[in-house]
Amino acid sequence: MASNLAPIPELYVSYESAQKLKAEAGNLASHDLTPRQICDLELLMNGGFNPLKGFLTEEDYDSVVETMRTKDGALWPMPVTLDVSEKFADTVELGQDIALRDQEGVILATMTVTDKWVPNKSREAEKVFGADDLAHPAVNYLHNHAGAVYLGGPITGIQQPVHYDFRARRDTPNELRAYFRKMGWRKIVAFQTRNPLHRAHQELTFRAAKEAQANLLIHPVVGMTKPGDVDHFTRVRCYEAVLDKYPSSTTHLSLLNLAMRMAGPREALWHAIIRKNHGLTHFIVGRDHAGPGKNSQGEDFYGPYDAQELVRQHQEEVGIEMVDFKHMVYVQEKAQYYPIDEVPEGATVLNISGTELRRRLAEGLEIPEWFSFPEVVKELRRTKPPRAKQGFTVFFTGFSGSGKSTIANALMVKLMEMGGRPVTLLDGDIVRKNLSSELGFSKEHRDLNIRRIGYVASEITKNGGIAICAPIAPYAATRRAVREDVENFGAFIEVHVATSIEECEKRDRKGLYKLAREGKIKEFTGISDPYDVPENPELRVETEGTDVDNCAHQVILKLEQMGLIAG
């Protein structure tokens, strides 16, 4: 049997052993997995991360970070680690077994902890992602979301995570290999995507399959992608809508529950290894494969063809052939798509960027048939109505006494006067009383309070309402996390109420600043605790010498300018 069609090892035990292990695991220390860890665990257990037998040990981690290889020399470009809190790590001894549970408490696997260490996350960011730059979503995740301690060790799979959506479309590596055997497919090219399929993608996949003389697997990622991406439910409906554009017996759609890191070249090589494990012989690597966009200096994190170069260097060792593709553009005179470097001289090139597509969807503008399929546009419009009908969040931040609550109240009244959408005010004091009465004012508790506000605001936004938030929110990392939560569903408008600390002290009706200066209130923002001034808020308002009505009106004008309310 061809090596790409033979079964590969999985880390699951038999059904009988799993039942026994489940009963025993009830007495073990438990770690509740994050969404990213569940994706990683699933691919470890089903062979998608072969040759890994568990979460990386410290030696393997160091070797992967430095050399893209495990300590025994196996090519592996991406650290796959179990990050946990210091509190949980303190309860775990080396050699101990722990139960790994999903977010509902179901035991998915056990792990023997062989290693426990505090990683150098800045080094990991530099080596794996090319820069220790928080503009990179994976670097931000590393520093602001991931646990401080890493655990490593082999895992024993009990059961795969439960997916209630698109179950018929989810295949393990061995299920895909069996499908290829059944269909008599010998050469199969994979198309990796985290976006809806438009006509350029279809042309690219047709050409790739033809060039490789192979069948086509559309293999989109439905685990974690880049914050702000189209949700996977919408994307899969888009893929299903265009499947009949492909010859029926030559193409298969299968969903990959991978948590992407957006690591450019290393990610592309990782994707190639994962596709090899799924039984594929060819893999399409496009322009800026798995790139996260711009860095803090406004430049691309990776060169447009860096990913292709790295995969080309290692394709023989991986055992998969790369099909490299340039950016596809539409040539008006020929009424068809060409790779950008094959465009006839003097021809008119038409192209719509991702940003332009989002703008057209947001404003309800026409999306031409040469660019996408009517079925795809219809699905996208269902999920993304015009901006003036979407929910959104206005998030005020500033010192205590800066005027946030007063402006937020005035804004709420103005928006309610306009009508059309429900408006909810999540003021700092109101939230403290109704949602966070048990929390103190430590950094940890203040962060938790803001995350709660963000969660409620994202739910309001998702359901088409307007959330107005007015906490102090001193930390940039927490504000960014709230932005990411909200932007999954609608617009997030950060308004920095830029009143100076001196003016806030003058206005201090509650005497809080005086108590903070005397040391009677600890960790007080602006006095004994820092405030991260927003670098690029959507709006900055000055309240000194400006009345409240004018400040609220500035916000209204900004909302009109963004198309969120009708002018």
Side-chain angles (χ1 to χ4, degrees):
M1 192 185 293
S3 65
N4 68 303
L5 301 179
I8 61 163
E10 296 183 344
L11 302 181
Y12 292 110
V13 293
S14 68
Y15 177 78
E16 291 74 20
S17 300
Q19 297 314 301
K20 186 166 172 260
L21 261 178
K22 250 187 197 172
E24 291 168 0
N27 301 317
L28 298 178
S30 285
H31 172 65
D32 291 340
L33 298 159
T34 63
R36 174 154 133 176
Q37 290 167 352
I38 291 172
C39 291
D40 287 350
L41 178 65
E42 180 171 356
L43 286 163
L44 280 168
M45 294 191 296
N46 69 22
F49 282 175
N50 189 51
L52 301 192
K53 298 290 183 271
F55 289 100
L56 293 181
T57 62
E58 186 174 5
E59 271 190 328
D60 278 333
Y61 163 80
D62 285 334
S63 184
V64 164
V65 167
E66 292 290 341
T67 69
M68 300 199 305
R69 292 180 184 277
T70 59
K71 71 175 190 294
D72 62 5
L75 186 65
W76 191 263
M78 195 59 56
V80 176
T81 51
L82 188 71
D83 58 279
V84 299
S85 66
E86 289 176 279
K87 188 177 173 185
F88 180 75
D90 288 343
T91 68
V92 176
E93 302 293 327
L94 294 187
Q96 180 182 338
D97 284 351
I98 60 172
L100 303 179
R101 297 176 183 267
D102 70 10
Q103 293 179 313
E104 275 74 52
V106 175
I107 296 174
L108 303 178
T110 61
M111 170 176 159
T112 303
V113 180
T114 59
D115 293 71
K116 176 168 74 167
W117 74 101
V118 176
N120 179 341
K121 291 185 177 182
S122 292
R123 181 187 67 131
E124 183 179 335
E126 286 281 355
K127 295 284 185 181
V128 178
F129 305 109
D132 191 12
D133 182 342
L134 290 175
H136 194 298
V139 176
N140 180 55
Y141 185 94
L142 195 60
H143 287 303
N144 293 318
H145 296 278
V149 182
Y150 288 178
L151 303 181
I155 60 164
T156 303
I158 294 174
Q159 69 177 68
Q160 61 183 15
V162 178
H163 300 289
Y164 298 107
D165 59 323
F166 308 113
R167 293 175 85 151
R169 298 274 184 210
R170 293 177 183 270
D171 301 297
T172 67
N174 279 327
E175 284 168 347
L176 268 187
R177 286 167 175 247
Y179 177 80
F180 301 150
R181 288 198 300 272
K182 178 182 169 185
M183 296 298 287
W185 292 6
R186 293 293 173 266
K187 290 164 86 177
I188 311 102
V189 60
F191 178 58
Q192 140 92 29
T193 179
R194 46 173 253 271
N195 294 308
L197 280 182
H198 302 298
R199 290 189 189 272
H201 302 114
Q202 187 200 35
E203 183 60 31
L204 185 153
T205 54
F206 276 156
R207 283 176 176 242
K210 193 174 172 185
E211 187 177 301
Q213 293 185 305
N215 292 96
L216 174 68
L217 178 74
I218 300 172
H219 208 200
V221 170
V222 295
M224 298 171 73
T225 60
K226 187 181 168 189
D229 278 354
V230 176
D231 69 274
H232 82 267
F233 300 102
T234 302
R235 287 193 287 116
V236 176
R237 290 197 301 271
C238 288
Y239 304 139
E240 290 182 332
V242 298
L243 258 189
D244 63 358
K245 313 285 182 197
Y246 290 88
S248 60
S249 59
T250 67
T251 305
H252 184 62
L253 169 65
S254 181
L255 311 183
L256 178 65
N257 197 43
L258 174 72
M260 287 182 70
R261 272 60 161 181
M262 307 305 297
R266 278 199 186 218
E267 179 107 10
L269 183 57
W270 192 40
H271 289 174
I273 295 168
I274 292 165
R275 281 359 188 273
K276 167 67 178 171
N277 287 333
H278 282 78
L280 294 141
T281 57
H282 293 71
F283 179 50
I284 300 169
V285 180
R287 181 180 174 278
D288 194 24
H289 184 105
K294 306 286 185 194
N295 63 18
S296 297
Q297 278 68 53
E299 295 157 2
D300 288 337
F301 271 96
Y302 312 113
Y305 300 109
D306 289 357
Q308 290 181 358
E309 196 46 51
L310 190 65
V311 176
R312 188 176 288 111
Q313 284 173 32
H314 296 283
Q315 60 181 353
E316 209 168 303
E317 183 179 356
V318 174
I320 198 165
E321 201 171 313
M322 179 177 74
V323 184
D324 60 336
F325 262 97
K326 304 287 188 290
H327 186 46
M328 302 292 288
V329 292
Y330 187 75
V331 176
Q332 190 171 21
E333 289 83 357
K334 301 282 187 182
Q336 67 187 65
Y337 279 88
Y338 281 80
I340 197 156
D341 58 348
E342 292 176 23
V343 173
E345 202 174 328
T348 310
V349 169
L350 302 179
N351 190 27
I352 292 179
S353 67
T355 306
E356 174 63 10
L357 174 64
R358 285 190 290 275
R359 186 185 77 84
R360 288 180 182 227
L361 284 168
E363 296 178 18
L365 301 175
E366 184 210 357
I367 293 163
E369 280 223 23
W370 62 260
F371 176 77
S372 193
F373 304 97
E375 300 92 330
V376 170
V377 174
K378 183 181 170 189
E379 281 299 339
L380 292 173
R381 289 205 195 281
R382 277 177 61 197
T383 309
K384 289 274 183 193
R387 273 198 132 179
K389 293 184 178 173
Q390 289 178 24
F392 62 87
T393 292
V394 180
F395 192 94
F396 290 94
T397 173
F399 291 124
S400 174
S402 60
K404 302 180 303 298
S405 299
T406 315
I407 300 167
N409 268 298
L411 177 66
M412 177 179 70
V413 171
K414 286 175 183 288
L415 288 170
M416 289 173 79
E417 181 186 359
M418 288 177 186
R421 280 175 281 197
V423 186
T424 304
L425 176 63
L426 297 168
D427 181 61
D429 291 343
I430 296 170
V431 171
R432 279 275 174 187
K433 182 179 172 187
N434 294 297
L435 276 182
S436 301
S437 58
E438 85 288 9
L439 297 184
F441 289 88
S442 66
K443 180 181 189 307
E444 185 187 356
H445 278 194
R446 279 185 288 174
D447 268 354
L448 182 54
N449 184 49
I450 302 304
R451 292 307 301 266
R452 287 180 184 178
I453 290 172
Y455 170 72
V456 176
S458 72
E459 289 295 309
I460 291 166
T461 301
K462 177 168 76 175
N463 289 290
I466 300 170
I468 303 173
C469 312
I472 294 169
Y475 310 121
T478 318
R479 296 195 299 263
R480 174 173 173 163
V482 171
R483 177 185 288 273
E484 287 175 2
D485 288 347
V486 170
E487 284 185 341
N488 283 324
F489 308 112
F492 180 89
I493 303 91
E494 184 176 40
V495 181
H496 177 214
V497 183
T499 313
S500 67
I501 194 83
E502 295 75 20
E503 179 64 21
C504 292
E505 282 201 66
K506 276 187 217 161
R507 298 177 182 177
D508 185 16
R509 287 184 315 213
K510 299 176 188 171
L512 298 176
Y513 281 93
K514 184 171 181 290
L515 294 171
R517 293 267 182 216
E518 292 166 357
K520 291 174 182 168
I521 298 180
K522 306 293 181 199
E523 297 182 298
F524 191 85
T525 300
I527 305 295
S528 51
D529 204 61
Y531 176 78
D532 300 337
V533 175
E535 288 181 15
N536 298 300
E538 277 71 14
L539 184 65
R540 215 182 289 279
V541 296
E542 307 283 348
T543 63
E544 296 169 54
T546 310
D547 64 27
V548 171
D549 193 66
N550 183 274
C551 291
H553 190 63
Q554 285 179 52
V555 182
I556 292 285
L557 290 174
K558 185 68 186 177
L559 296 175
E560 279 184 14
Q561 183 195 336
M562 293 174 73
L564 291 162
I565 55 178

